[in-house]
Amino acid sequence: MTELTKKQIDRQDYVDNAIHELVLNINPSSKHIDWNIEMAGDIRDIIEVWLVRELELCSDMEFYPYLQDE
């Protein structure tokens, strides 16, 4: 695979946006939180551990598609 499909990109966007929304929703302060892909990535990694490895609900590719090294 040389590039992600539209469906895979849509899944990445969905996960990253859901994480950002979660952060905004649980923020107890009134301070604005800008979009930060590094923060989203850190949180995504923890969620992936639980959904993929601990609970075995899906594969890592199903959770957050990525390009595999060829």
Side-chain angles (χ1 to χ4, degrees):
M1 176 185 329
T2 58
E3 61 185 50
L4 296 173
T5 66
K6 179 172 180 357
K7 183 177 178 180
Q8 290 172 318
I9 292 168
D10 288 347
R11 175 64 186 177
Q12 286 184 338
D13 288 345
Y14 176 79
V15 170
D16 291 336
N17 288 324
I19 289 168
H20 182 67
E21 284 297 315
L22 171 67
V23 169
L24 294 178
N25 289 333
I26 64 173
N27 175 12
S29 75
S30 60
K31 184 177 177 187
H32 175 73
I33 299 174
D34 289 329
W35 170 257
N36 183 318
I37 193 63
E38 183 178 354
M39 178 176 59
D42 290 345
I43 295 167
R44 184 177 65 239
D45 290 345
I46 298 301
I47 295 171
E48 181 179 349
V49 166
W50 279 99
L51 294 181
V52 175
R53 296 183 188 102
E54 296 295 329
L55 299 174
E56 298 179 351
L57 298 175
C58 60
S59 71
D60 57 344
M61 187 65 83
E62 290 170 313
F63 173 65
Y64 196 85
Y66 56 89
L67 293 177
Q68 295 178 325
D69 293 333
E70 294 180 38

